[in-house]
Amino acid sequence: MLRTNRLGRTSVTVTELGFGGGPLGGLFTPVGEVDAAAALDAAWDSGIRYFDTSPHYGIGQSEQLIGRALRGRPRGDFTLSTKVGRILVPQDPAGRMDDGGFQVPARHRRVWDFSRDGIRRSVEDSLTRMGVDGFDVLFLHDAEPHFEWALRDGFPALAGLRAEGMVRAIGAGMYDTAMLTRLVRETDADVVMLAGGYTLLNQHAADDLLPACAERGVSVLSVSVFNSGVLASPRPAADATFNYEPAPPEIIQRANAIADICEAHGVPLPRAAMAFPLRHPVVAGIVLGMRSAAEVHANVAGFETPVPEALWTDLKSAGLLLQGT
Protein backbone atom coordinates (compact mmCIF):
# COMPACT_ATOMS: atom_id res chain seq x y z
CA MET A 1 0.00 0.00 0.00
CA LEU A 2 1.25 3.47 -0.86
CA ARG A 3 2.00 5.86 1.96
CA THR A 4 -0.81 8.23 2.95
CA ASN A 5 -0.75 11.80 4.29
CA ARG A 6 -3.38 13.94 5.96
CA LEU A 7 -4.75 17.09 4.31
CA GLY A 8 -4.20 20.10 6.51
CA ARG A 9 -6.02 19.94 9.83
CA THR A 10 -8.67 17.55 8.51
CA SER A 11 -9.07 13.82 8.91
CA VAL A 12 -8.92 13.34 5.13
CA THR A 13 -5.98 11.29 3.89
CA VAL A 14 -4.59 10.79 0.39
CA THR A 15 -2.10 8.33 -1.01
CA GLU A 16 1.09 10.11 -2.04
CA LEU A 17 0.33 9.00 -5.59
CA GLY A 18 -3.19 9.88 -6.70
CA PHE A 19 -5.17 9.11 -9.85
CA GLY A 20 -6.01 12.15 -11.97
CA GLY A 21 -9.16 11.83 -14.04
CA GLY A 22 -8.40 14.35 -16.80
CA PRO A 23 -7.32 11.80 -19.44
CA LEU A 24 -10.45 9.71 -18.80
CA GLY A 25 -12.40 12.66 -20.13
CA GLY A 26 -10.78 12.06 -23.52
CA LEU A 27 -8.11 14.72 -23.11
CA PHE A 28 -6.49 15.04 -26.58
CA THR A 29 -7.40 11.44 -27.53
CA PRO A 30 -10.58 9.40 -26.89
CA VAL A 31 -10.75 6.87 -24.04
CA GLY A 32 -13.17 3.94 -24.09
CA GLU A 33 -15.03 2.59 -21.10
CA VAL A 34 -13.13 -0.73 -21.12
CA ASP A 35 -9.73 0.98 -21.07
CA ALA A 36 -10.88 3.41 -18.40
CA ALA A 37 -12.14 0.61 -16.17
CA ALA A 38 -8.87 -1.28 -16.64
CA ALA A 39 -6.87 1.81 -15.66
CA LEU A 40 -8.96 2.37 -12.52
CA ASP A 41 -8.77 -1.31 -11.54
CA ALA A 42 -5.00 -1.25 -12.01
CA ALA A 43 -4.78 1.86 -9.84
CA TRP A 44 -6.78 0.20 -7.08
CA ASP A 45 -4.75 -3.00 -7.27
CA SER A 46 -1.56 -0.93 -7.07
CA GLY A 47 -2.64 0.68 -3.82
CA ILE A 48 -3.84 4.07 -5.10
CA ARG A 49 -6.70 5.27 -2.93
CA TYR A 50 -7.07 8.91 -3.97
CA PHE A 51 -9.10 9.68 -7.10
CA ASP A 52 -9.61 13.20 -8.47
CA THR A 53 -11.94 14.33 -11.24
CA SER A 54 -13.99 17.30 -12.44
CA PRO A 55 -17.13 18.08 -14.45
CA HIS A 56 -14.81 19.87 -16.89
CA TYR A 57 -13.02 16.65 -17.86
CA GLY A 58 -14.86 15.40 -20.91
CA ILE A 59 -17.96 17.44 -19.92
CA GLY A 60 -18.88 14.84 -17.32
CA GLN A 61 -17.36 11.70 -18.86
CA SER A 62 -14.50 11.42 -16.36
CA GLU A 63 -16.87 11.67 -13.41
CA GLN A 64 -19.14 9.01 -14.88
CA LEU A 65 -16.32 6.55 -15.58
CA ILE A 66 -14.68 6.97 -12.19
CA GLY A 67 -18.05 6.71 -10.46
CA ARG A 68 -18.81 3.40 -12.18
CA ALA A 69 -15.42 1.94 -11.31
CA LEU A 70 -15.59 2.92 -7.64
CA ARG A 71 -19.24 2.09 -7.03
CA GLY A 72 -18.50 -1.43 -5.81
CA ARG A 73 -15.60 -0.36 -3.57
CA PRO A 74 -16.07 0.26 0.16
CA ARG A 75 -16.68 4.01 0.43
CA GLY A 76 -14.48 4.38 3.48
CA ASP A 77 -11.51 2.87 1.67
CA PHE A 78 -10.82 5.70 -0.77
CA THR A 79 -10.71 9.48 -0.98
CA LEU A 80 -12.64 11.21 -3.75
CA SER A 81 -12.47 14.79 -4.97
CA THR A 82 -14.13 16.78 -7.69
CA LYS A 83 -14.32 20.43 -8.62
CA VAL A 84 -16.80 23.28 -8.94
CA GLY A 85 -17.06 26.47 -10.96
CA ARG A 86 -18.55 25.18 -14.20
CA ILE A 87 -22.16 24.06 -14.65
CA LEU A 88 -22.81 21.57 -17.45
CA VAL A 89 -25.86 22.53 -19.50
CA PRO A 90 -27.31 19.89 -21.87
CA GLN A 91 -27.36 20.71 -25.57
CA ASP A 92 -27.86 18.98 -28.90
CA PRO A 93 -24.38 17.91 -30.06
CA ALA A 94 -25.52 17.94 -33.71
CA GLY A 95 -22.36 16.14 -34.75
CA ARG A 96 -20.08 18.58 -32.92
CA MET A 97 -17.20 17.57 -30.65
CA ASP A 98 -16.28 19.33 -27.42
CA ASP A 99 -14.24 22.49 -27.95
CA GLY A 100 -12.50 22.25 -24.55
CA GLY A 101 -9.71 19.90 -25.60
CA PHE A 102 -11.57 16.66 -24.87
CA GLN A 103 -12.45 14.14 -27.57
CA VAL A 104 -16.11 13.66 -26.65
CA PRO A 105 -19.41 14.68 -28.31
CA ALA A 106 -20.55 18.15 -27.29
CA ARG A 107 -23.63 16.95 -25.41
CA HIS A 108 -23.19 19.71 -22.84
CA ARG A 109 -21.77 23.21 -22.71
CA ARG A 110 -19.87 24.67 -19.79
CA VAL A 111 -21.17 27.76 -17.98
CA TRP A 112 -19.00 29.49 -15.38
CA ASP A 113 -20.80 29.80 -12.06
CA PHE A 114 -19.13 30.50 -8.70
CA SER A 115 -22.36 31.63 -7.02
CA ARG A 116 -23.68 29.82 -3.96
CA ASP A 117 -26.52 28.28 -5.93
CA GLY A 118 -24.18 27.38 -8.78
CA ILE A 119 -21.75 25.64 -6.45
CA ARG A 120 -24.52 23.62 -4.85
CA ARG A 121 -26.01 22.70 -8.21
CA SER A 122 -22.59 21.62 -9.48
CA VAL A 123 -22.07 19.35 -6.47
CA GLU A 124 -25.54 17.82 -6.81
CA ASP A 125 -24.98 17.18 -10.52
CA SER A 126 -21.60 15.57 -9.81
CA LEU A 127 -23.11 13.32 -7.14
CA THR A 128 -25.70 12.16 -9.65
CA ARG A 129 -23.15 11.57 -12.42
CA MET A 130 -20.88 9.58 -10.13
CA GLY A 131 -23.52 7.70 -8.17
CA VAL A 132 -21.90 8.47 -4.83
CA ASP A 133 -23.37 9.98 -1.68
CA GLY A 134 -20.63 12.51 -0.96
CA PHE A 135 -17.18 13.89 -1.71
CA ASP A 136 -14.21 14.08 0.60
CA VAL A 137 -12.67 17.13 -1.08
CA LEU A 138 -14.07 19.91 -3.28
CA PHE A 139 -11.97 22.43 -5.20
CA LEU A 140 -12.78 25.72 -6.89
CA HIS A 141 -11.53 24.93 -10.40
CA ASP A 142 -9.53 27.13 -12.79
CA ALA A 143 -10.82 30.25 -11.10
CA GLU A 144 -8.13 32.57 -12.48
CA PRO A 145 -10.47 34.41 -14.92
CA HIS A 146 -13.10 34.85 -12.20
CA PHE A 147 -10.98 34.94 -9.07
CA GLU A 148 -12.76 37.74 -7.21
CA TRP A 149 -16.12 36.04 -7.78
CA ALA A 150 -14.74 32.70 -6.65
CA LEU A 151 -13.16 34.24 -3.55
CA ARG A 152 -16.21 36.33 -2.66
CA ASP A 153 -18.99 33.80 -3.32
CA GLY A 154 -17.53 30.44 -4.32
CA PHE A 155 -15.33 29.79 -1.32
CA PRO A 156 -18.00 30.74 1.25
CA ALA A 157 -20.35 28.35 -0.56
CA LEU A 158 -17.81 25.54 -0.14
CA ALA A 159 -17.31 26.52 3.51
CA GLY A 160 -21.06 26.21 4.00
CA LEU A 161 -21.05 22.70 2.56
CA ARG A 162 -18.17 21.81 4.86
CA ALA A 163 -20.01 23.19 7.88
CA GLU A 164 -23.04 21.09 6.95
CA GLY A 165 -20.87 17.96 6.81
CA MET A 166 -21.39 17.46 3.06
CA VAL A 167 -17.62 17.62 2.40
CA ARG A 168 -14.63 17.26 4.70
CA ALA A 169 -11.98 19.39 3.00
CA ILE A 170 -12.13 22.37 0.63
CA GLY A 171 -9.78 24.48 -1.41
CA ALA A 172 -8.92 25.47 -4.97
CA GLY A 173 -7.10 23.99 -7.95
CA MET A 174 -5.26 26.56 -10.07
CA TYR A 175 -2.03 27.44 -11.88
CA ASP A 176 -1.60 30.96 -10.50
CA THR A 177 0.49 30.79 -7.32
CA ALA A 178 -0.18 34.42 -6.37
CA MET A 179 -3.95 33.86 -6.43
CA LEU A 180 -3.65 30.61 -4.52
CA THR A 181 -1.46 32.37 -1.96
CA ARG A 182 -4.10 35.03 -1.50
CA LEU A 183 -6.80 32.38 -1.06
CA VAL A 184 -4.68 30.58 1.54
CA ARG A 185 -4.06 33.79 3.48
CA GLU A 186 -7.63 35.13 3.32
CA THR A 187 -9.67 31.94 3.90
CA ASP A 188 -9.64 28.80 6.00
CA ALA A 189 -8.91 26.47 3.07
CA ASP A 190 -7.67 22.99 3.91
CA VAL A 191 -5.83 22.14 0.71
CA VAL A 192 -4.85 23.59 -2.66
CA MET A 193 -4.14 21.75 -5.89
CA LEU A 194 -1.22 23.38 -7.66
CA ALA A 195 -0.76 22.74 -11.38
CA GLY A 196 2.80 22.90 -12.68
CA GLY A 197 4.01 25.44 -10.12
CA TYR A 198 6.43 23.32 -8.11
CA THR A 199 8.37 21.03 -10.41
CA LEU A 200 11.93 20.34 -11.50
CA LEU A 201 11.50 23.14 -14.06
CA ASN A 202 9.39 25.62 -12.09
CA GLN A 203 9.83 26.33 -8.40
CA HIS A 204 8.00 29.68 -8.24
CA ALA A 205 5.64 28.36 -5.57
CA ALA A 206 8.57 28.28 -3.15
CA ASP A 207 8.51 32.11 -3.16
CA ASP A 208 4.95 32.64 -1.99
CA LEU A 209 2.50 29.75 -1.90
CA LEU A 210 4.44 27.07 -0.04
CA PRO A 211 5.52 29.36 2.82
CA ALA A 212 1.93 30.61 3.16
CA CYS A 213 0.65 27.02 3.29
CA ALA A 214 3.22 26.16 5.94
CA GLU A 215 2.14 29.14 8.05
CA ARG A 216 -1.57 28.41 7.70
CA GLY A 217 -1.49 24.60 8.01
CA VAL A 218 -2.71 24.07 4.45
CA SER A 219 -1.70 21.05 2.37
CA VAL A 220 -0.69 21.08 -1.29
CA LEU A 221 -1.50 18.46 -3.92
CA SER A 222 0.89 18.80 -6.84
CA VAL A 223 -0.36 18.12 -10.37
CA SER A 224 1.24 18.54 -13.81
CA VAL A 225 4.53 17.41 -12.27
CA PHE A 226 5.79 16.63 -15.79
CA ASN A 227 4.90 20.18 -16.92
CA SER A 228 2.53 18.60 -19.49
CA GLY A 229 5.14 16.40 -21.15
CA VAL A 230 8.69 17.69 -21.18
CA LEU A 231 9.57 15.70 -18.03
CA ALA A 232 7.47 12.64 -18.85
CA SER A 233 10.22 10.65 -20.61
CA PRO A 234 13.88 9.92 -19.81
CA ARG A 235 14.87 12.51 -22.42
CA PRO A 236 12.65 15.36 -23.65
CA ALA A 237 11.61 14.99 -27.26
CA ALA A 238 12.39 17.80 -29.68
CA ASP A 239 8.66 18.53 -29.94
CA ALA A 240 7.96 18.19 -26.20
CA THR A 241 5.38 20.44 -24.60
CA PHE A 242 5.88 22.67 -21.57
CA ASN A 243 2.66 23.72 -19.82
CA TYR A 244 0.68 22.70 -22.92
CA GLU A 245 2.72 24.84 -25.29
CA PRO A 246 5.75 23.87 -27.43
CA ALA A 247 8.71 23.79 -25.05
CA PRO A 248 11.18 26.65 -25.67
CA PRO A 249 14.77 25.62 -26.49
CA GLU A 250 16.01 26.78 -23.09
CA ILE A 251 13.50 24.50 -21.35
CA ILE A 252 14.57 21.54 -23.49
CA GLN A 253 18.20 22.33 -22.69
CA ARG A 254 17.52 22.54 -18.96
CA ALA A 255 15.50 19.32 -18.95
CA ASN A 256 18.38 17.56 -20.70
CA ALA A 257 20.82 18.89 -18.11
CA ILE A 258 18.61 17.53 -15.34
CA ALA A 259 18.34 14.22 -17.20
CA ASP A 260 22.15 13.99 -17.36
CA ILE A 261 22.39 14.12 -13.58
CA CYS A 262 19.46 11.74 -13.15
CA GLU A 263 21.16 9.22 -15.45
CA ALA A 264 24.38 9.50 -13.48
CA HIS A 265 22.43 8.36 -10.41
CA GLY A 266 20.47 5.65 -12.24
CA VAL A 267 17.17 7.49 -11.81
CA PRO A 268 14.85 8.11 -14.79
CA LEU A 269 13.89 11.75 -15.28
CA PRO A 270 10.13 11.08 -14.77
CA ARG A 271 10.86 9.44 -11.41
CA ALA A 272 12.78 12.49 -10.25
CA ALA A 273 9.90 14.68 -11.44
CA MET A 274 7.47 12.64 -9.33
CA ALA A 275 9.70 12.65 -6.28
CA PHE A 276 10.66 16.32 -6.26
CA PRO A 277 7.41 17.98 -5.02
CA LEU A 278 7.06 15.50 -2.16
CA ARG A 279 10.33 16.72 -0.67
CA HIS A 280 8.52 19.80 0.62
CA PRO A 281 6.70 19.18 3.91
CA VAL A 282 3.45 20.87 2.85
CA VAL A 283 3.04 18.66 -0.23
CA ALA A 284 0.77 15.77 0.75
CA GLY A 285 0.74 14.02 -2.61
CA ILE A 286 1.07 14.20 -6.36
CA VAL A 287 -1.74 13.41 -8.78
CA LEU A 288 -0.99 11.93 -12.20
CA GLY A 289 -3.46 11.79 -15.05
CA MET A 290 -3.66 8.22 -16.37
CA ARG A 291 -5.68 6.66 -19.18
CA SER A 292 -4.66 2.97 -19.31
CA ALA A 293 -3.57 0.09 -17.11
CA ALA A 294 -0.15 0.22 -18.76
CA GLU A 295 0.28 3.88 -17.77
CA VAL A 296 -0.76 3.09 -14.21
CA HIS A 297 1.70 0.22 -13.91
CA ALA A 298 4.54 2.30 -15.38
CA ASN A 299 3.83 5.26 -13.11
CA VAL A 300 3.53 3.16 -9.96
CA ALA A 301 6.75 1.29 -10.78
CA GLY A 302 8.52 4.58 -11.39
CA PHE A 303 7.10 6.11 -8.24
CA GLU A 304 8.53 3.28 -6.15
CA THR A 305 12.07 3.62 -7.58
CA PRO A 306 14.45 4.88 -4.84
CA VAL A 307 15.96 8.34 -5.36
CA PRO A 308 19.32 8.96 -3.65
CA GLU A 309 19.80 12.22 -1.75
CA ALA A 310 22.98 12.80 -3.73
CA LEU A 311 20.87 13.41 -6.86
CA TRP A 312 19.25 16.47 -5.27
CA THR A 313 22.62 17.68 -4.00
CA ASP A 314 24.10 17.47 -7.49
CA LEU A 315 21.10 19.24 -9.06
CA LYS A 316 21.49 22.10 -6.58
CA SER A 317 25.25 22.27 -7.14
CA ALA A 318 24.62 22.54 -10.87
CA GLY A 319 22.23 25.43 -10.31
CA LEU A 320 19.27 23.42 -11.58
CA LEU A 321 17.28 23.57 -8.32
CA LEU A 322 16.71 26.28 -5.75
CA GLN A 323 19.03 25.83 -2.80
CA GLY A 324 16.16 25.65 -0.32
CA THR A 325 14.30 22.85 -2.09
Side-chain angles (χ1 to χ4, degrees):
M1 184 68 71
L2 296 166
R3 178 179 170 182
T4 61
N5 292 313
R6 184 177 296 181
L7 297 182
R9 298 169 295 274
T10 75
S11 61
V12 179
T13 60
V14 295
T15 44
E16 286 191 330
L17 176 59
F19 187 103
L24 296 192
L27 183 62
F28 304 132
T29 57
V31 175
E33 187 167 349
V34 172
D35 287 340
L40 289 158
D41 286 344
W44 187 273
D45 293 341
S46 299
I48 293 174
R49 293 294 183 269
Y50 173 44
F51 300 87
D52 174 71
T53 184
S54 168
H56 172 56
Y57 303 154
I59 44 178
Q61 176 173 290
S62 174
E63 287 188 324
Q64 291 171 337
L65 292 173
I66 291 176
R68 289 172 198 163
L70 295 177
R71 210 160 293 162
R73 312 288 187 183
R75 184 61 185 88
D77 288 358
F78 62 89
T79 297
L80 182 62
S81 64
T82 194
K83 306 180 182 77
V84 297
R86 295 175 175 94
I87 298 294
L88 302 186
V89 179
Q91 65 179 6
D92 180 0
R96 290 178 291 115
M97 298 296 286
D98 176 49
D99 60 2
F102 298 89
Q103 295 300 304
V104 295
R107 295 191 178 93
H108 295 78
R109 59 186 176 87
R110 302 169 181 85
V111 177
W112 289 105
D113 196 337
F114 288 102
S115 70
R116 178 184 180 278
D117 289 345
I119 297 295
R120 287 178 174 265
R121 176 181 168 185
S122 179
V123 173
E124 290 170 2
D125 289 349
S126 291
L127 290 171
T128 298
R129 276 190 294 270
M130 299 197 74
V132 296
D133 58 4
F135 295 106
D136 300 294
V137 190
L138 290 172
F139 295 103
L140 301 170
H141 195 196
D142 293 342
E144 285 91 341
H146 307 284
F147 183 69
E148 295 301 331
W149 185 15
L151 189 64
R152 182 188 69 244
D153 296 338
F155 188 85
L158 288 185
L161 292 172
R162 183 180 57 187
E164 295 169 23
M166 295 183 65
V167 64
R168 296 192 290 154
I170 59 174
M174 299 166 59
Y175 289 90
D176 192 299
T177 60
M179 290 181 181
L180 280 176
T181 301
R182 184 177 164 197
L183 181 132
V184 166
R185 294 197 179 281
E186 295 183 13
T187 72
D188 60 346
D190 303 302
V191 57
V192 295
M193 183 171 277
L194 173 63
Y198 192 61
T199 72
L200 288 175
L201 292 171
N202 180 0
Q203 291 124 50
H204 293 159
D207 297 332
D208 51 9
L209 179 61
L210 300 188
C213 288
E215 292 169 13
R216 301 279 292 173
V218 176
S219 290
V220 173
L221 293 169
S222 184
V223 300
S224 295
V225 299
F226 301 136
N227 286 119
S228 84
V230 68
L231 298 174
S233 57
R235 286 283 172 181
D239 60 349
T241 57
F242 176 72
N243 295 346
Y244 301 100
E245 299 287 343
E250 61 270 20
I251 290 292
I252 297 289
Q253 181 179 7
R254 188 173 171 208
N256 273 306
I258 294 172
D260 288 339
I261 293 174
C262 288
E263 284 184 2
H265 289 278
V267 176
L269 178 60
R271 171 55 182 133
M274 287 189 271
F276 172 73
L278 289 163
R279 291 176 54 77
H280 197 285
V282 303
V283 178
I286 66 169
V287 181
L288 300 184
M290 294 178 266
R291 68 176 61 242
S292 69
E295 282 191 7
V296 172
H297 292 144
N299 285 328
V300 172
F303 187 78
E304 294 177 339
T305 301
V307 179
E309 187 64 28
L311 184 150
W312 310 116
T313 301
D314 288 352
L315 286 175
K316 292 174 188 175
S317 297
L320 296 167
L321 284 185
L322 294 176
Q323 288 298 316
T325 58

